[in-house]
């Protein structure tokens, strides 16, 4: 079922979450067993992230550096199939512009359609850690709005090489990302909303937000999105803080603010266990307010670790 159909049928706020593919060498069964407790809350869909190919530089005896391709995480397509087969829920794979050509994107969509996936989340993706800015692949997309266009064209039976491809129409429901505190590359919130509207105008049917810790920023974001003429569902993204390191890492990495009231409590923490307790309590409070306000679903960024999300969901759902 499409995400938009799940949301339209629901008479209450839904529960959903995102997982990371396991690192190379780790077992898929470990991943599935790890998230199984979250099935108690009947998620209608589970997101599976995608990771671009990464490189290492190998130094030879002559001093020359060779760039060697390495793939750190197994394929998202297979994980989606496993989740759908094991738990009978919809899997939502992420598709990226970065690191992929249009042909590779088309092939991924063909594979996803083949195994029965009906939803995708279209993202630009970040620059590799070794590069300072995002650079698209040759014959790849520069923006998520372009990726949305390609997916929608396939929904109309239009492939990259129409003279050789069949005119089979896919039927993907396309989601995109939204940023309550503005994407860090956007010059202003006004322009960020302009880019978001372009994605929706190109065919995106729902929005999932980046994590935030201040509900007021989500509510203002929804207000501004509606004022910009965007009327698709907006799903809030939730992540509880769980380690001391995240107190500085999350604002630096995701360009977001931690509310003063949350920081007042985190400053008292002496261990990761203390932080986890504060993070869960804060997220529970966030989630209860979002449910009361009628959020369509609460979407948890679990990093494939179920414990904190389970504790929160137990108090909310």
């Amino acid at each position: 079922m499409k995400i938009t159909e799940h949301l339209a049928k629901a008479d209450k706020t839904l529960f959903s979450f995102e997982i990371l593919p396991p690192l190379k060498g780790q077992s898929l069964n470990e991943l599935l067993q790890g998230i199984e407790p979250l099935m108690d809350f009947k998620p209608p869909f589970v997101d599976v992230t995608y990771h671009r190919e990464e490189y290492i530089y190998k130094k030879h005896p002559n001093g020359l550096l060779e760039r060697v391709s390495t793939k750190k995480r197994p394929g998202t397509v297979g994980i989606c199939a496993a989740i759908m087969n094991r738990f009978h829920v919809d899997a939502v794979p992420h598709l990226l512009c970065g690191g992929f050509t249009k042909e590779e994107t088309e092939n991924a969509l063909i594979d996803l359609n083949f195994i029965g996936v009906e939803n995708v989340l279209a993202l630009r993706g970040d620059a590799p850690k070794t590069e300072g800015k995002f650079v698209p692949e040759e014959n790849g997309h520069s923006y998520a709005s372009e990726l949305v266009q390609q997916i929608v064209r396939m929904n109309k039976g239009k492939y990259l090489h129409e003279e050789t491809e069949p005119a089979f129409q896919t039927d993907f429901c396309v989601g995109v990302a939204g940023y309550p505190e503005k994407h860090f590359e956007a010059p202003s919130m006004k322009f960020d909303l302009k880019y978001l509207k372009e994605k929706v105008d190109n065919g995106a049917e729902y929005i999932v937000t980046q994590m935030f810790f201040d509900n007021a920023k989500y509510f203002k974001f929804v207000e501004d999105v509606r004022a910009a003429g965007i009327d698709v569902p907006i799903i809030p993204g939730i992540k509880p803080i769980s380690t001391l390191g995240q107190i500085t890492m999350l604002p630096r990495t995701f360009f977001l603010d931690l509310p003063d009231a949350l920081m007042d409590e985190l400053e008292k923490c002496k261990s990761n266990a203390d932080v986890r307790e504060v993070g869960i309590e804060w997220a529970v409070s966030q989630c209860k307010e979002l449910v009361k306000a009628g959020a369509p679903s609460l979407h948890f960024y679990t990093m494939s670790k179920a414990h904190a999300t389970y504790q929160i969901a137990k108090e909310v759902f």
Side-chain angles (χ1 to χ4, degrees), residues 163-201:
E163 69 278 5
T164 60
E165 295 288 353
F168 176 80
Q169 294 183 354
T170 56
D171 191 23
F172 292 108
C173 174
V174 187
V176 292
Y179 299 86
E181 298 178 66
K182 187 181 77 64
H183 190 279
F184 73 97
E185 293 181 8
S188 68
M189 181 58 83
K190 175 183 175 181
F191 279 90
D192 203 24
L193 291 172
K194 175 184 174 183
Y195 303 141
L196 180 59
K197 189 172 190 304
E198 185 176 355
K199 291 189 283 189
V200 173
D201 289 345

Side-chain angles (χ1 to χ4, degrees), residues 3-294:
I3 302 304
T4 48
E5 294 173 333
H6 283 299
L7 298 177
K9 287 179 60 178
D11 57 3
K12 61 181 181 180
T13 299
L14 300 176
F15 166 82
S16 58
F17 62 93
E18 172 186 299
I19 61 171
L20 305 175
L23 290 169
K24 184 170 63 176
Q26 292 180 348
S27 167
L28 174 61
N29 281 334
E30 290 178 15
L31 170 66
L32 298 179
Q33 290 170 7
I35 64 175
E36 191 160 17
L38 297 179
M39 296 301 151
D40 289 353
F41 307 105
K42 297 179 171 51
F45 60 93
V46 175
D47 277 37
V48 184
T49 64
Y50 217 114
H51 291 267
R52 67 186 295 166
E53 197 168 29
E54 296 183 2
Y55 300 91
I56 60 172
Y57 288 87
K58 185 177 180 181
K59 189 173 183 179
H60 292 280
N62 61 7
L64 294 178
L65 292 176
E66 177 188 5
R67 192 170 82 155
V68 180
S69 173
T70 177
K71 192 171 185 179
K72 292 181 112 177
R73 295 182 184 271
T76 294
V77 176
I79 295 170
C80 287
I83 287 173
M84 292 162 60
N85 180 66
R86 174 78 167 265
F87 300 119
H88 305 290
V89 301
D90 284 307
V92 185
H94 293 190
L95 290 179
L96 305 180
C97 298
F100 298 90
T101 66
K102 296 174 186 176
E103 285 78 10
E104 289 171 330
T105 295
E106 184 173 281
N107 290 336
L109 289 164
I110 290 170
D111 286 346
L112 291 167
N113 180 76
F114 179 76
I115 64 172
V117 168
E118 296 183 75
N119 306 279
V120 294
L121 191 72
L123 307 166
R124 190 200 68 175
D126 298 324
K129 297 173 183 176
T130 55
E131 299 177 15
K133 64 178 182 177
F134 178 85
V135 177
E137 292 294 300
E138 185 176 350
N139 194 33
H141 295 300
S142 299
Y143 304 101
S145 58
E146 298 172 350
L147 178 55
V148 171
Q149 280 185 315
Q150 180 178 3
I151 300 167
V152 171
R153 281 176 59 83
M154 286 185 65
N155 283 348
K156 297 176 180 178
K158 297 179 181 178
Y159 290 68
L160 294 173
H161 307 295
E162 294 182 47
E163 69 278 5
T164 60
E165 295 288 353
F168 176 80
Q169 294 183 354
T170 56
D171 191 23
F172 292 108
C173 174
V174 187
V176 292
Y179 299 86
E181 298 178 66
K182 187 181 77 64
H183 190 279
F184 73 97
E185 293 181 8
S188 68
M189 181 58 83
K190 175 183 175 181
F191 279 90
D192 203 24
L193 291 172
K194 175 184 174 183
Y195 303 141
L196 180 59
K197 189 172 190 304
E198 185 176 355
K199 291 189 283 189
V200 173
D201 289 345
N202 285 352
E205 298 179 68
Y206 70 97
I207 297 164
V208 181
T209 77
Q210 186 185 68
M211 70 183 78
F212 58 89
F213 295 88
D214 184 348
N215 284 354
K217 294 189 176 180
Y218 169 76
F219 296 137
K220 180 64 165 58
F221 177 70
V222 172
E223 181 183 317
D224 291 344
V225 167
R226 300 301 182 225
I230 302 169
D231 61 1
V232 301
I234 305 170
I235 299 173
I238 303 296
K239 176 177 173 53
I241 289 183
S242 58
T243 67
L244 289 164
Q246 288 178 349
I247 296 172
T248 54
M249 182 275 287
L250 291 176
R252 182 177 66 248
T253 303
F254 296 99
F255 299 89
L256 50 81
D257 291 333
L258 300 180
D260 290 340
L262 174 57
M263 279 304 305
D264 288 343
E265 295 304 312
L266 290 172
E267 282 188 322
K268 303 173 186 176
C269 295
K270 304 298 183 183
S271 66
N272 286 338
D274 295 339
V275 173
R276 279 193 295 273
E277 184 176 341
V278 169
I280 289 171
E281 289 178 0
W282 185 269
V284 167
S285 178
Q286 263 195 285
C287 291
K288 286 182 176 179
E289 184 179 28
L290 290 166
V291 168
K292 187 176 180 180

